């Protein structure tokens, strides 16, 4: 008998599983806000050089005259963002006048920003433009580096300390570091706190997914995995609305971080994985948790009959396959497993590279970033509905291959669309993003199901039951997914 049989006896996909899954997936949805937050907090507004004080005084009260005389125009007639004339070209104030060969210089006195769309961003606050524009991308890279480190740290801790403790800590860490990011006025401090926030992304995703899978009977796990994808879609739509209503970057940062304090408070109610408790010799605690589950699912009689011996019998077969030490190297030891691992790494890498390349800079589409964010979120809904049906009726491999192929065609064809057809380019990119989001969900499930039983047992990867479905998930190994995703 497998542990999933015990869950079926205690109500299957009952009230407990529904509430438990909802409480875990809600924070996962808001994590999407932090993943894509820099599309708004680090937006680059229109800007041009700040003219020297003497030049501005010479222009009198006419800012238009000062701008025309001190800032050269680009090919589109827009003021150059990173250059200014060394001396004012007052001749340009005459109608139809032009100046050729006038000396220019970099912006020595700072920049003037357009505040009509974004009252404040980190770009405005720390002048992350022109020569310093790479620092903006560096901040996002540091966040993703935190995701990588968090996968290793929290994945290992979860296998040793249980799923709940790292999850509760991750909620608190994200709430505190998110608020600190909005408070401190140093770019270095901003990057440090963003790194710590990135770590919590892995801590929350890995532990939430593990708890959902380990408390969910076999027949509900595919739907639960898809619901994780829909929670990310909801988070993207929430981000678009919050960013539209809360324009200053510090308040927006604070607004999407504070809810995790609420998640931290109610997470103390969430029970630890009984399966993990049993595998680590804490059968009394496991029995207590299972009886509570039975009560919530209105199976009090079944819960009353539970004893340590009865519960242990459902998982006894797995004790013989538990190894005291695990190594990622075991995923490369045999040619067959090495082939599976390398193929999965390529799939994860290509999916992640294309996905984040599309969604991390919405301004490049030339439309309203709020509208593009909504479009990129809404497109996931029909795409993942199709993915759910194809995963169930066609299979994982065909679903992943088809969505990756469609996404690749959309991205490549976008290269040949003229720049002035921004609406068409945006729609194509949105369709590609929807395909990539759907393949992400399928890869998460597919990765846990591809390895044979002996590798699952040795490495703590999900173990298959009689129907070939995933039984258990180990965060130390699941951490490889965010690792490849970060790269």
């Amino acid at each position: 008998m497998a542990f999933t049989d015990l869950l079926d006896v205690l109500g299957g996909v009952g009230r407990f599983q529904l509430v438990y899954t909802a409480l875990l997936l809600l924070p996962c949805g808001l994590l999407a806000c932090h993943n894509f937050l820099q599309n708004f907090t680090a937006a680059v507004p229109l800007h041009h050089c700040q003219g020297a004080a003497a030049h501005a005084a010479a222009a009198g009260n006419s800012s238009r005259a000062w701008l025309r005389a001190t800032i050269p125009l680009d090919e589109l007639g827009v003021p150059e963002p990173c250059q200014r004339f060394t001396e004012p070209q007052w001749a340009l104030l005459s109608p139809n006048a032009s100046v050729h060969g006038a000396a220019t210089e970099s912006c020595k006195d700072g920049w003037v920003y357009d505040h009509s769309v974004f009252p404040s961003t980190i770009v405005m606050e720390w002048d992350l433009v022109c020569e310093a524009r790479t620092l903006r991308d560096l901040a996002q890279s540091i966040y993703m580096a935190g995701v990588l480190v968090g996968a290793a740290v929290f994945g290992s801790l979860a296998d040793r300390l249980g799923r709940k403790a790292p999850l509760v800590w991750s909620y608190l860490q994200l709430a505190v570091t998110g608020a600190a990011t909005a408070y401190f006025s140093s770019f270095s401090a901003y990057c440090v706190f963003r790194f710590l926030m990135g770590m919590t992304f892995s801590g929350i995703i890995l532990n939430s997914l593990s708890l959902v899978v380990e408390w969910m009977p076999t027949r509900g796990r595919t739907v639960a995995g898809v619901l994780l994808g829909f929670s990310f879609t909801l988070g993207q739509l929430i981000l678009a609305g919050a960013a539209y209503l809360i324009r200053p970057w510090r308040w927006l940062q604070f607004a999407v971080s504070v809810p995790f304090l609420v998640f931290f408070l109610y997470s103390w109610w969430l029970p630890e994985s009984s399966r993990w408790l049993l595998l680590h010799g804490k059968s009394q605690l496991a029995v207590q948790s299972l009886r509570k589950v039975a009560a919530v699912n209105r199976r009090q009689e079944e819960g009353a009959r539970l004893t340590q011996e009865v519960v242990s019998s459902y998982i006894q077969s797995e004790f013989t396959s538990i190894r005291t030490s695990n190594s990622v190297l075991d995923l490369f030891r045999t040619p067959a497993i090495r082939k599976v691992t390398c193929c999965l790494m390529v799939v994860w890498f290509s999916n992640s590279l294309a996905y984040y390349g599309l969604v991390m800079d919405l301004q490049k589409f030339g439309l309203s970033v709020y509208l593009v964010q909504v479009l990129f979120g809404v497109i996931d809904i029909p795409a993942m509905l199709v993915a759910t049906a194809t995963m169930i009726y066609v299979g994982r491999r065909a679903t992943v291959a088809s969505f990756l192929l469609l996404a690749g065609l959309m991205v490549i064809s976008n290269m040949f669309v003229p720049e002035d057809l921004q609406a068409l380019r945006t729609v194509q990119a949105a369709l590609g993003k929807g395909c990539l989001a759907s393949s992400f969900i399928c890869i998460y499930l597919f990765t846990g199901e591809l390895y044979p039983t002996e590798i699952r047992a040795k490495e703590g990867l999900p173990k298959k039951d009689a129907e070939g479905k995933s039984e258990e998930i180990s965060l130390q190994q699941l951490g490889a997914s965010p690792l490849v995703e970060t790269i």
Side-chain angles (χ1 to χ4, degrees), residues 241-256:
Y244 183 81
L245 296 174
I246 308 172
R247 301 296 178 93
W249 80 268
R250 291 185 183 276
W251 285 109
L252 177 59
Q253 175 73 57
F254 185 76
V256 298

Side-chain angles (χ1 to χ4, degrees), residues 365 367 375 417 419-429:
F365 296 108
L367 303 176
L375 178 61
V417 178
E419 291 285 344
D420 55 336
L421 298 178
Q422 292 291 356
L424 178 58
R425 289 170 58 85
T426 304
V427 171
Q428 281 187 322

